Amino acid sequence: MDIRTVDIDTILKVRQQVMYPEEEISYVQLPEDNKGRHLGLYINDKLVSVVSLFEQENAIQFRKFATLVNQQGKGYGSQLLDYVIRQAEKEGKQLIWCNARASARGFYERFGMYTTGESWWKKDIEFIKMEKRFN
């Protein structure tokens, strides 16, 4: 396993393929992508999971966290998220957060994250804000 920086074109392809395969690639592009840090988890030099990080003072928001469909359930996303959380704490951040699909709540709770605020809907998918504070 190797976690390293990934170029934005590769990130966009994985996001689109995993999250919204019926949409154009532009649908998964974020206006702030050029300001983000994009990481990928590689297994035997094959990219299997991606995440984009956006710093905001003493916080990090992670977005567009996706693992290839044929690689899901193998713990790769968990390894990448664990790395991201540990790095945020190591860098002295006070908070890490994301807007998650409500169906993934249990996954994020396993990492000590909790729901804040009310849920909302986008394209028939319910979302929630989840966060974890560091001491």
Side-chain angles (χ1 to χ4, degrees), residues 3 37 39 53 60 80-93 96 134:
I3 296 173
R37 186 171 22 146
L39 300 178
L53 308 175
I60 290 184
L80 182 55
L81 182 57
D82 181 62
Y83 174 85
V84 167
I85 290 172
R86 284 187 290 110
Q87 284 300 115
E89 188 172 24
K90 188 177 177 180
E91 292 171 8
K93 302 299 179 190
I96 188 165
F134 304 110

Side-chain angles (χ1 to χ4, degrees), residues 20-123:
Y20 297 100
E22 71 286 352
E23 299 289 346
E24 296 295 321
I25 217 158
S26 61
Y27 186 79
V28 297
Q29 190 165 16
L30 302 170
E32 56 276 349
D33 269 335
N34 62 336
K35 298 176 185 170
R37 186 171 22 146
H38 310 285
L39 300 178
L41 182 138
Y42 290 79
I43 301 295
N44 298 322
D45 244 7
K46 179 178 173 16
L47 181 62
V48 297
S49 189
V50 299
V51 67
S52 296
L53 308 175
F54 301 92
E55 294 191 42
Q56 306 163 336
E57 296 183 26
N58 291 320
I60 290 184
Q61 178 188 19
F62 63 92
R63 299 184 70 181
K64 305 296 185 188
F65 178 37
T67 300
L68 295 177
V69 175
N70 66 351
Q71 298 297 318
Q72 292 177 5
K74 298 179 180 180
Y76 299 137
S78 293
Q79 291 175 43
L80 182 55
L81 182 57
D82 181 62
Y83 174 85
V84 167
I85 290 172
R86 284 187 290 110
Q87 284 300 115
E89 188 172 24
K90 188 177 177 180
E91 292 171 8
K93 302 299 179 190
Q94 295 174 353
L95 172 74
I96 188 165
W97 66 281
C98 71
N99 293 327
R101 292 177 184 220
S103 60
R105 175 186 282 134
F107 173 78
Y108 292 110
E109 287 174 341
R110 291 196 315 257
F111 294 88
M113 298 184 79
Y114 52 88
T115 304
T116 61
E118 299 295 320
S119 67
W120 68 95
W121 292 83
K122 180 180 176 186
K123 286 192 75 111

